[in-house]
Amino acid sequence: MAGSTQDINIVAQAESGDALQQGEVIAPAEEHAAEGEHAAPADAAHGATDTHASTEAHAEVFPPFDPASFGGQLLWLAITFAALYFLMSRVALPRIGSILETRRTRIEGDLKEAERLRQETEKAAAAYEAALAEARKNAHGIAEETRAGIKADIDGRRADVEAGLSKRVAAAEARIQADKDAALANVGSIAAETAQVLVAKISGSVTAAEAKAAVAAASKE
Amino acid sequence: MADPNKVDPIHQFQITDIVSFGEGGVSFTNSALFMVLSVGVIALYLLLSTQKRSLVPNRVQLISEMLYEFVAKMVSDSAGKAGMKFFPFVFSLFMFVLVANMFGMIPFFFTFTSHIIITFALALLVFVVVIVYGIYKNGLKFFKLFVPSGVPGYVLPIVVPIEVVSFLSRPISLSVRLFANILAGHITLKVFAGFIVTLGGLGFLGWLGALLPLVMTVAITALEFLVAALQAYVFAVLTSMYINDAIHPSH
C-alpha cells in the first residue's frame, strides 16, 4: 500500500508538472488559485489511479473533489439544511422576532407614557406657576391695601392728636398769656406798695397816690 | 501515512462512513454527522436561549438577538423591506456556514465547508432562488438585470455579455470563495503544525527551530477564526445582494 502510494505520488507529481504547464494556457478559467497547487496534483492523481487501478481510486483522490462522496453529501446537506431552514423560519426566528417586537412596542409605549406624564407635569407646573403668580399678586394687593389702611389710620390719629395738642397748646398759651398779663398788671401796685413802705420807713409817710406816681415815673426812665 | 511522523494535510478532508445502510447505499458519514451537529447546535442554542422570552435579555438570549438583528440588518440594508421575505433563508445560510466553519476550528472535527460540493450546492441554491424568484416577481423584466440603465445603446453588445457572464459566474465565485478559504486555511494550519512535529524529531536544535512554525500555527489559528467568521458573513452578504437583484432587477 505504502509503495503504491509513493508510486502514485511520483506519477501524480510528474503529471501535475505537465498539468501545470498545460494549465498556464487555460489559467484564466481557474479561479481558485489558492488551492490550485493542491487541486492540480489531486486531479492528476485521480487520473493516474484511474488508469492504474480503479478500485483504489477513491482512497487516493483529493477528498474534496471525490465525486463518489458528492451524492451522499448532497443528500445529507439537503436534509440538514431543509431542517435548519424549517426550524429557523417556523420556530426560532419568529420567536426572536416576537421578543424584539414586544420589547420595541413596550419601549415605545413606555416612552409615550413618559412623554404623556412629562406633558402632564409641565401642565401642572404651569398651573402652579400661574397660581403662584396670582397669589403673589393678591398678596401684593393685600399688602398695599393694608399698608394704605394703616397709613390712613396713622395719619388720622396723628391729625387728631396734633389737633388736640395744638388746641391744648393754644389754651395753655392763652392761659399763660392771661397769667402773664395779670402778673404784669400786679407788678405796678406791688412796686408802689413796696416803695410806699420803703419811703415811710426812711422819711415818714407818703400817700399811696404819691408812691404810685413816683414808681410810674421811675419805670418810665 | 506509513510513517507516523509524516503529516498528511489532506487526510483531514477524508470522508469516512460512520454508519452504512446496506452495501452501496447511503451511509452516515463524518460530513453528515457535522451537518447534523451544526443544525442541532444552531437550533438548540437559538431555541433554548430564547425559551424564557425575557423582556430584559440575559447574555445567552442577547447573543441570539444580536445574531438575528445582525442578519436582519444585513438583509434589509442590501435588499430592502421586500428582501425580508428571504431573511430566514439568509439567516439559515449564515448560521449554517458560520457554525460549520467554527466547528472546523476544533481539532479532529470535520469541516464540511471545505468540500466544494457543499459550498457549490449552497451557492447554486442561492442562484436558483434568485432566478426563480426574480422571474416570478418581475417576469421578463428580470432580464433587465443584464441591461444596465443609462448605458448608451452602442455599448450594450459589449456590456450585456459581460453582465451575463458575471451573473452566471456568481455560483462559482460564491462557492469557490468559501471552499477555497476554508480548505487553504486548514491545509496551511496542518502543514505548519506538521513542521513542528518534523522539526521536533530532530533533537534540541530541532526544538528551537520548531518554535517558528509554532508561532506561525498560533497566528494562523487566530487568522482562521477570523476567516471562518468573515467567510460566513461574506456568503450571507453576497446572498442578500443577489436577492436584491431578484427583487429590483433594474439597477
Coordinates of all heavy atoms in Angstrom, one line a residue, chain A residues 159-218:
Chain A
A159 N -53.4 113.3 63.0 CA -54.0 114.5 62.9 C -54.9 114.9 64.1 O -54.8 116.0 64.6 CB -54.9 114.5 61.6
D160 N -55.6 113.8 64.6 CA -56.4 114.0 65.8 C -55.6 114.5 66.9 O -55.9 115.5 67.6 CB -57.1 112.7 66.2 CG -58.3 112.4 65.3 OD1 -58.6 113.3 64.5 OD2 -59.0 111.4 65.5
V161 N -54.5 113.7 67.1 CA -53.6 114.0 68.3 C -53.0 115.4 68.1 O -53.0 116.2 69.1 CB -52.5 113.0 68.4 CG1 -51.4 113.4 69.4 CG2 -53.1 111.6 68.8
E162 N -52.6 115.7 66.9 CA -52.0 117.0 66.7 C -53.0 118.2 66.9 O -52.7 119.2 67.5 CB -51.4 117.1 65.2 CG -50.0 116.5 65.2 CD -49.5 116.5 63.8 OE1 -50.2 116.8 62.8 OE2 -48.3 116.0 63.6
A163 N -54.2 117.9 66.4 CA -55.3 118.9 66.6 C -55.5 119.1 68.1 O -55.6 120.3 68.5 CB -56.5 118.4 65.9
G164 N -55.6 118.0 68.8 CA -55.9 118.1 70.3 C -54.8 118.9 71.0 O -55.0 119.8 71.8
L165 N -53.5 118.4 70.5 CA -52.4 119.0 71.2 C -52.3 120.5 70.9 O -52.1 121.3 71.8 CB -51.1 118.4 70.6 CG -50.7 117.0 71.3 CD1 -49.5 116.5 70.6 CD2 -50.5 117.2 72.8
S166 N -52.5 120.9 69.6 CA -52.4 122.3 69.3 C -53.5 123.1 70.0 O -53.3 124.3 70.5 CB -52.5 122.6 67.8 OG -53.6 121.9 67.2
K167 N -54.7 122.4 70.2 CA -55.7 123.1 70.9 C -55.3 123.4 72.4 O -55.4 124.5 72.9 CB -57.0 122.2 70.9 CG -58.3 123.1 70.9 CD -59.5 122.1 70.8 CE -59.8 121.6 69.4 NZ -60.8 120.6 69.5
R168 N -54.7 122.3 72.9 CA -54.3 122.4 74.3 C -53.1 123.4 74.4 O -53.0 124.2 75.4 CB -53.9 121.1 74.9 CG -55.1 120.3 75.2 CD -54.8 118.8 75.4 NE -54.0 118.6 76.6 CZ -53.6 117.4 77.0 NH1 -53.9 116.3 76.3 NH2 -52.9 117.2 78.2
V169 N -52.2 123.4 73.4 CA -51.1 124.3 73.4 C -51.7 125.8 73.4 O -51.3 126.6 74.2 CB -50.2 124.1 72.2 CG1 -49.2 125.3 72.0 CG2 -49.4 122.8 72.5
A170 N -52.7 125.9 72.5 CA -53.3 127.3 72.3 C -53.9 127.7 73.6 O -53.7 128.9 74.1 CB -54.3 127.3 71.2
A171 N -54.6 126.8 74.3 CA -55.3 127.1 75.5 C -54.3 127.4 76.6 O -54.4 128.4 77.4 CB -56.1 125.9 76.0
A172 N -53.2 126.6 76.6 CA -52.2 126.8 77.6 C -51.5 128.2 77.4 O -51.3 129.0 78.3 CB -51.1 125.7 77.5
E173 N -51.2 128.4 76.1 CA -50.6 129.7 75.8 C -51.5 130.9 76.2 O -51.0 131.9 76.8 CB -50.3 129.8 74.3 CG -49.0 129.2 73.9 CD -48.8 129.1 72.4 OE1 -49.7 129.5 71.6 OE2 -47.7 128.7 72.0
A174 N -52.8 130.7 75.9 CA -53.8 131.7 76.3 C -53.8 132.0 77.8 O -53.8 133.1 78.3 CB -55.2 131.4 75.8
R175 N -53.7 130.8 78.5 CA -53.7 131.0 80.0 C -52.4 131.6 80.5 O -52.5 132.5 81.4 CB -53.9 129.6 80.6 CG -54.7 129.6 81.9 CD -55.0 128.2 82.4 NE -53.9 127.4 82.6 CZ -53.8 126.2 82.2 NH1 -54.8 125.6 81.5 NH2 -52.7 125.4 82.4
I176 N -51.3 131.2 79.9 CA -50.1 131.8 80.2 C -50.1 133.3 80.0 O -49.7 134.1 80.8 CB -48.9 131.1 79.5 CG1 -48.7 129.7 79.9 CG2 -47.6 131.9 79.6 CD1 -47.8 128.8 79.1
Q177 N -50.6 133.6 78.8 CA -50.7 135.0 78.5 C -51.5 135.8 79.5 O -51.1 136.8 80.0 CB -51.3 135.1 77.0 CG -51.2 136.5 76.4 CD -49.7 136.9 76.3 OE1 -48.9 136.1 75.8 NE2 -49.3 138.1 76.7
A178 N -52.7 135.1 79.9 CA -53.6 135.8 80.8 C -52.9 136.0 82.2 O -52.9 137.1 82.8 CB -54.8 135.0 81.0
D179 N -52.2 134.8 82.6 CA -51.4 134.9 83.9 C -50.4 136.0 83.8 O -50.2 136.8 84.8 CB -50.8 133.6 84.2 CG -51.8 132.5 84.6 OD1 -53.0 132.9 84.8 OD2 -51.4 131.3 84.8
K180 N -49.7 136.0 82.7 CA -48.6 137.0 82.5 C -49.2 138.4 82.6 O -48.7 139.3 83.3 CB -48.0 136.8 81.1 CG -46.6 137.3 81.0 CD -46.1 136.8 79.7 CE -44.9 137.7 79.1 NZ -44.6 137.3 77.7
D181 N -50.3 138.6 81.9 CA -50.9 139.9 81.9 C -51.3 140.3 83.3 O -51.1 141.5 83.8 CB -52.2 139.9 81.0 CG -51.8 139.9 79.5 OD1 -50.6 140.0 79.2 OD2 -52.7 139.6 78.7
A182 N -51.9 139.3 84.0 CA -52.4 139.6 85.3 C -51.2 139.9 86.2 O -51.2 140.9 87.0 CB -53.1 138.4 85.9
A183 N -50.1 139.1 86.0 CA -48.9 139.3 86.8 C -48.3 140.7 86.5 O -48.0 141.4 87.5 CB -47.9 138.2 86.5
L184 N -48.3 141.0 85.2 CA -47.7 142.3 84.9 C -48.6 143.4 85.4 O -48.1 144.5 85.9 CB -47.6 142.4 83.3 CG -46.4 141.7 82.7 CD1 -46.4 141.8 81.2 CD2 -45.1 142.2 83.3
A185 N -49.9 143.2 85.4 CA -50.8 144.2 85.9 C -50.5 144.5 87.4 O -50.6 145.6 87.9 CB -52.2 143.8 85.7
N186 N -50.2 143.3 88.1 CA -50.0 143.5 89.6 C -48.6 144.1 89.9 O -48.4 144.6 91.0 CB -50.1 142.1 90.2 CG -51.5 141.6 90.2 OD1 -52.4 142.4 90.1 ND2 -51.7 140.3 90.4
V187 N -47.7 144.0 89.0 CA -46.3 144.5 89.3 C -46.3 146.0 89.7 O -45.7 146.3 90.7 CB -45.4 144.3 88.0 CG1 -44.1 145.1 88.2 CG2 -45.1 142.8 87.8
G188 N -47.1 146.9 89.1 CA -47.1 148.3 89.4 C -47.6 148.6 90.9 O -46.9 149.3 91.6
S189 N -48.7 147.8 91.2 CA -49.2 148.1 92.5 C -48.2 147.5 93.6 O -48.1 148.2 94.7 CB -50.6 147.4 92.7 OG -50.5 146.1 92.5
I190 N -47.6 146.4 93.3 CA -46.7 145.8 94.3 C -45.5 146.8 94.5 O -45.1 147.1 95.6 CB -46.2 144.4 93.8 CG1 -47.3 143.4 93.8 CG2 -45.0 143.9 94.7 CD1 -47.0 142.1 93.2
A191 N -45.0 147.3 93.4 CA -43.9 148.2 93.4 C -44.3 149.5 94.2 O -43.5 150.0 95.0 CB -43.5 148.6 92.0
A192 N -45.5 150.0 94.0 CA -45.9 151.2 94.7 C -46.0 150.9 96.1 O -45.5 151.8 97.0 CB -47.3 151.6 94.1
E193 N -46.6 149.8 96.5 CA -46.7 149.4 97.9 C -45.3 149.3 98.5 O -45.1 149.9 99.6 CB -47.5 148.1 98.1 CG -49.0 148.2 98.3 CD -49.6 146.9 98.2 OE1 -49.1 145.9 98.7 OE2 -50.7 146.8 97.6
T194 N -44.5 148.6 97.8 CA -43.1 148.5 98.3 C -42.4 149.8 98.5 O -41.8 150.1 99.5 CB -42.3 147.6 97.4 OG1 -43.0 146.4 97.0 CG2 -40.9 147.2 98.0
A195 N -42.6 150.7 97.5 CA -42.0 152.0 97.5 C -42.5 152.8 98.7 O -41.8 153.4 99.4 CB -42.2 152.7 96.2
Q196 N -43.9 152.7 98.9 CA -44.5 153.5 100.0 C -44.0 153.0 101.3 O -43.6 153.8 102.1 CB -46.1 153.2 99.9 CG -46.8 154.1 100.8 CD -48.3 153.7 100.9 OE1 -48.7 152.8 100.1 NE2 -49.1 154.4 101.7
V197 N -43.8 151.7 101.5 CA -43.3 151.1 102.7 C -41.9 151.6 102.9 O -41.5 152.0 104.0 CB -43.4 149.6 102.7 CG1 -42.7 149.0 103.9 CG2 -44.8 149.2 102.7
L198 N -41.1 151.5 101.9 CA -39.7 151.9 102.0 C -39.6 153.3 102.3 O -38.8 153.7 103.2 CB -38.9 151.6 100.6 CG -38.6 150.1 100.4 CD1 -38.0 150.0 99.0 CD2 -37.5 149.6 101.4
V199 N -40.3 154.2 101.6 CA -40.2 155.7 101.9 C -40.7 156.0 103.3 O -40.0 156.8 104.0 CB -41.1 156.4 100.8 CG1 -41.3 157.9 101.2 CG2 -40.4 156.3 99.5
A200 N -41.8 155.3 103.7 CA -42.3 155.5 105.0 C -41.2 155.2 106.0 O -41.1 155.9 107.0 CB -43.6 154.7 105.2
K201 N -40.5 154.1 105.8 CA -39.5 153.7 106.7 C -38.4 154.7 106.8 O -37.8 155.0 107.8 CB -39.0 152.3 106.4 CG -39.9 151.2 106.7 CD -39.3 150.2 107.6 CE -40.3 149.2 108.1 NZ -40.1 147.8 107.7
I202 N -38.0 155.2 105.6 CA -36.9 156.1 105.5 C -37.3 157.5 105.9 O -36.6 158.2 106.7 CB -36.3 156.1 104.1 CG1 -35.8 154.7 103.7 CG2 -35.2 157.2 103.9 CD1 -35.6 154.6 102.2
S203 N -38.3 158.1 105.3 CA -38.6 159.5 105.5 C -40.0 159.9 105.9 O -40.5 160.9 105.7 CB -38.3 160.3 104.2 OG -39.0 159.8 103.2
G204 N -40.6 159.2 106.6 CA -42.0 159.5 107.0 C -43.0 159.0 106.0 O -42.7 158.3 105.1
S205 N -44.2 159.4 106.3 CA -45.3 158.8 105.5 C -45.4 159.5 104.1 O -45.0 160.7 103.9 CB -46.6 159.0 106.3 OG -47.0 160.3 106.3
V206 N -45.9 158.8 103.3 CA -46.2 159.2 102.0 C -47.5 158.6 101.6 O -47.8 157.4 101.9 CB -45.0 158.9 101.0 CG1 -45.1 157.4 100.6 CG2 -45.1 159.7 99.8
T207 N -48.2 159.3 100.8 CA -49.5 158.7 100.4 C -49.3 157.6 99.3 O -48.3 157.6 98.6 CB -50.5 159.8 99.9 OG1 -49.9 160.4 98.8 CG2 -50.8 160.7 101.0
A208 N -50.3 156.9 99.2 CA -50.3 155.8 98.2 C -50.3 156.4 96.8 O -49.6 155.9 95.9 CB -51.6 154.9 98.4
A209 N -51.0 157.5 96.6 CA -51.1 158.1 95.3 C -49.7 158.7 94.9 O -49.3 158.5 93.7 CB -52.1 159.3 95.3
E210 N -49.0 159.3 95.9 CA -47.6 159.9 95.6 C -46.7 158.7 95.2 O -45.9 158.9 94.3 CB -47.1 160.6 96.8 CG -47.8 161.9 96.9 CD -47.4 162.6 98.3 OE1 -46.9 161.9 99.2 OE2 -47.5 163.8 98.4
A211 N -46.7 157.6 96.0 CA -45.8 156.5 95.7 C -46.1 156.0 94.3 O -45.1 155.7 93.6 CB -46.1 155.4 96.8
K212 N -47.4 155.8 94.0 CA -47.7 155.2 92.7 C -47.2 156.1 91.6 O -46.6 155.6 90.6 CB -49.3 155.1 92.6 CG -49.7 154.0 91.7 CD -51.2 153.8 91.7 CE -51.6 152.6 92.4 NZ -53.1 152.4 92.5
A213 N -47.3 157.4 91.7 CA -46.8 158.3 90.7 C -45.3 158.3 90.6 O -44.8 158.2 89.4 CB -47.3 159.8 91.1
A214 N -44.6 158.1 91.7 CA -43.2 158.0 91.7 C -42.7 156.8 91.0 O -41.8 156.8 90.2 CB -42.7 158.1 93.1
V215 N -43.4 155.7 91.3 CA -43.0 154.4 90.7 C -43.2 154.5 89.2 O -42.3 154.1 88.4 CB -43.8 153.2 91.3 CG1 -43.7 152.0 90.4 CG2 -43.3 152.9 92.7
A216 N -44.4 155.0 88.8 CA -44.7 155.1 87.4 C -43.6 156.0 86.7 O -43.1 155.6 85.6 CB -46.1 155.8 87.2
A217 N -43.2 157.1 87.4 CA -42.1 157.9 86.8 C -40.8 157.2 86.6 O -40.1 157.3 85.6 CB -42.0 159.2 87.7
A218 N -40.5 156.4 87.7 CA -39.2 155.6 87.7 C -39.2 154.6 86.6 O -38.2 154.3 85.9 CB -39.0 155.0 89.0

